[in-house]
Structures are given as C-alpha cells and as structure tokens.
C-alpha cells in the first residue's frame, strides 16, 4: 500500500505542476471569449471499472476454509453521477468542490472455496456503491464557442460492498454460504478533463472523462455464515469473520451541463 501511495503522490505532483504551467503561461493568442468566474456543473454517465476491481468476484483466494482470504472485486460497467462547483480566481485558474457517486452491478464466479467438490451456485444482491467528496484545482483553455477544462482533486471516499450468497446440494444435504455487505472509508483522488461547448456565456454543454481511485479499502471482520440443512436434523450455523482488501479504480465518461454566473 505504501508503494501505491508514493506512486499516487508523484502522479498528483506532476499533474498539479502541469496545471499550474497551463494556467499561468497559457498563450493569450488562443484565448476565446471571456467566461464567467463561477460555474455549477451536473454530470452523469457510464462508469468503467479497471484493474483488479473489474475482475469477477472470487477469482482468487488464499488460505484454507474457513479462514481464507477472498477477493471481492466483480464490478461491472455501471453509472457515475455528480455535482461540482468551480470558482476561477483568474481567467484560467480556479478551485473546485465536487461530489461524485458510483453504482456498479456485480459479476461473480461460483463460490467454490468452502468445499470445491460441491456444485456451488453464487448470486449477489445489491451493487458496489461508492461516494466521493473532493476538493482540488482546475484550469481552462478558452477557445471560440468551447473551452477545455482540466482538474485534479482529492478528499473523502466511501465504498460499500454487496451481499453475496451461494448454495450447494450434496446427497440430502443443502449448504448455504452467506457473505454480508461491508463498507469502509478512505482517502480518494482523481483527475480529468472536459470539453465544454458554450451555448451562451452562462450555459455550457459538457463532455467529460475522469479517472478516480482511492487508497485500498479494507473490509475488516466481515461476517460470513455457513448454514447446513439436513432433513430432521438440526445443525448450528457456522459463523466466521474474514478480511477483504479492495482497490477501487474507475474511468468515468460523463455528459452534463454547466450553469455559469
């Protein structure tokens, strides 16, 4: 995790440096019409999970039952949505506050780690849900009828994992494995760019692309239960606690509008 943090800080430093250069040394020859200083933006669009986050759930595990360590993963293409407020202290350079959410359905392998010899069938309920509250810097390049906007940001991120259930039948036994939902908060960050079409000085249509990520989330002591059912026999449920690590990574393609004032 330390190496991930170092790579992120180096990437963020380079991004900030490029934005500062762009903001303060942008050639005025390419400047378009003067824009208003304050902008309120709404955006929505598809969210594409990348990296391990996009692998099918339960693709890998370590250890032995019941004390194995699983990979949640399993995020499919979903939805991102958000609001942002931006204020430009100079014609090209400003600050922003942004709120963004994600919702992604689940893709899971059959959960066979408890007893691989049985024919397990896995299903999931709920979705991956994620919320970010971020602050950062932004700069814009103005051109006739449109402008390019760049931004980098960091702040609070919260991730909620779905519930999983799996069932297997063997002779007259029925086994059910339940993995509860879990949530964790951590440090999030991201960067992106937008192409804004100027309908008027006070209203823009936006096309935006952002990369968003976070320091890996840890779901600690997540409750899992194994239920064994045998006709005319009562068997106590087995309850376990497992720890999961999830690296949230997402590429958003968003459409929206900006109201400037």
């Amino acid at each position: 995790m330390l190496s991930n943090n170092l790579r992120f800080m180096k990437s963020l430093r380079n991004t900030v440096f490029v934005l500062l250069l762009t903001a303060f040394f942008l050639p005025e020859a390419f400047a378009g019409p003067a824009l208003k200083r304050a902008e309120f933006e709404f955006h929505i669009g598809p969210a594409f999970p990348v990296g391990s986050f996009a692998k099918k759930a339960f693709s890998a595990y370590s250890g032995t039952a019941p004390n194995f360590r699983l990979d949640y993963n399993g995020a499919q293409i979903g939805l991102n949505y958000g609001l942002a407020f931006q204020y430009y202290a100079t014609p090209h350079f400003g600050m922003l506050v942004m709120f963004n959410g994600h919702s992604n359905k689940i893709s899971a392998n059959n959960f066979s780690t408890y007893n691989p010899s049985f024919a397990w069938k896995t299903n999931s309920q709920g979705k991956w849900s994620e919320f970010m509250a971020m602050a950062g810097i932004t700069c814009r390049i103005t051109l006739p009828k449109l402008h390019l906007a760049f931004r980098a940001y960091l702040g609070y991120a919260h991730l909620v994992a779905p519930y999983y259930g799996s069932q297997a039948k063997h002779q007259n036994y029925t086994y059910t494995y339940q993995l509860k939902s879990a949530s964790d908060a951590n440090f999030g960050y991201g960067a992106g760019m937008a192409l804004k079409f100027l309908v008027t000085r006070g209203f823009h249509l936006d096309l935006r692309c952002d990369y968003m990520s976070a320091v890996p989330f840890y779901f600690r002591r997540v409750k899992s239960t194994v239920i064994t059912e045998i006709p005319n026999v009562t068997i106590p449920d087995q309850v376990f606690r497992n720890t999961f690590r999830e690296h949230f990574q997402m590429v958003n393609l968003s459409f929206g509008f900006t109201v400037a004032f």
Side-chain angles (χ1 to χ4, degrees):
M1 185 172 71
L2 180 60
S3 61
N4 288 337
N5 291 343
L6 292 175
R7 284 196 296 269
F8 158 65
M9 295 304 297
K10 184 177 180 180
S11 176
L12 180 62
R13 181 196 63 193
N14 293 338
T15 301
V16 171
F17 180 70
V18 171
L19 289 176
L20 290 173
L21 285 179
T22 304
F24 289 107
F25 299 101
L26 181 70
E28 294 298 327
F30 295 98
L35 298 176
K36 298 186 177 182
R37 289 186 179 272
E39 296 181 348
F40 180 80
E41 172 190 311
F42 170 79
H43 59 265
I44 188 170
F48 302 90
V50 295
S52 61
F53 194 48
K55 293 180 180 179
K56 277 192 173 184
F58 311 129
S59 294
Y61 67 97
S62 58
T64 57
N67 298 313
F68 38 65
R69 181 164 180 161
L70 296 168
D71 291 334
Y72 261 117
N73 303 331
Q76 293 184 309
I77 297 174
L79 182 71
N80 90 90
Y81 47 90
L83 303 170
F85 175 77
Q86 296 157 157
Y87 181 80
Y88 288 87
T90 73
H92 301 299
F93 179 77
M95 306 296 290
L96 70 92
V97 176
M98 182 175 68
F99 303 93
N100 203 90
H102 294 88
S103 179
N104 297 80
K105 291 184 178 181
I106 305 302
S107 175
N109 287 319
N110 286 329
F111 183 85
S112 60
T113 54
Y114 185 73
N115 191 326
S117 64
F118 295 168
W120 293 88
K121 183 177 181 181
T122 301
N123 59 70
S124 63
Q125 297 178 10
K127 303 176 182 179
W128 279 109
S129 299
E130 190 268 352
F131 173 78
M132 288 177 141
M134 318 291 272
I137 60 173
T138 180
C139 71
R140 60 189 179 186
I141 303 173
T142 58
L143 300 168
K145 290 297 182 183
L146 60 87
H147 71 269
L148 295 173
F150 303 89
R151 63 190 185 189
Y153 40 84
L154 48 82
Y156 172 85
H158 193 99
L159 186 64
V160 180
Y163 160 90
Y164 288 99
S166 193
Q167 192 174 78
K169 292 183 180 295
H170 180 70
Q171 296 177 353
N172 62 337
Y173 290 56
T174 300
Y175 298 92
T176 303
Y177 184 89
Q178 298 175 344
L179 180 60
K180 298 299 182 182
S181 177
S183 65
D184 189 33
N186 220 320
F187 178 77
Y189 53 89
M193 65 174 294
L195 186 63
K196 294 176 171 282
F197 299 89
L198 278 62
V199 179
T200 68
R201 285 183 62 208
F203 185 79
H204 318 153
L205 296 176
D206 306 336
L207 175 62
R208 175 173 293 283
C209 182
D210 285 87
Y211 170 79
M212 294 184 176
S213 187
V215 174
F217 294 91
Y218 279 90
F219 303 111
R220 297 171 178 85
R221 294 186 54 78
V222 180
K223 182 180 178 181
S224 60
T225 306
V226 177
I227 303 168
T228 303
E229 298 173 88
I230 306 174
N232 303 319
V233 178
T234 300
I235 299 179
D237 296 345
Q238 295 175 282
V239 177
F240 307 105
R241 299 283 178 175
N242 300 95
T243 298
F244 300 86
R245 180 177 183 270
E246 193 62 54
H247 191 187
F248 170 85
Q249 297 182 86
M250 197 73 66
V251 174
N252 300 332
L253 181 61
S254 307
F255 309 91
F257 62 86
T258 296
V259 177
F261 50 94

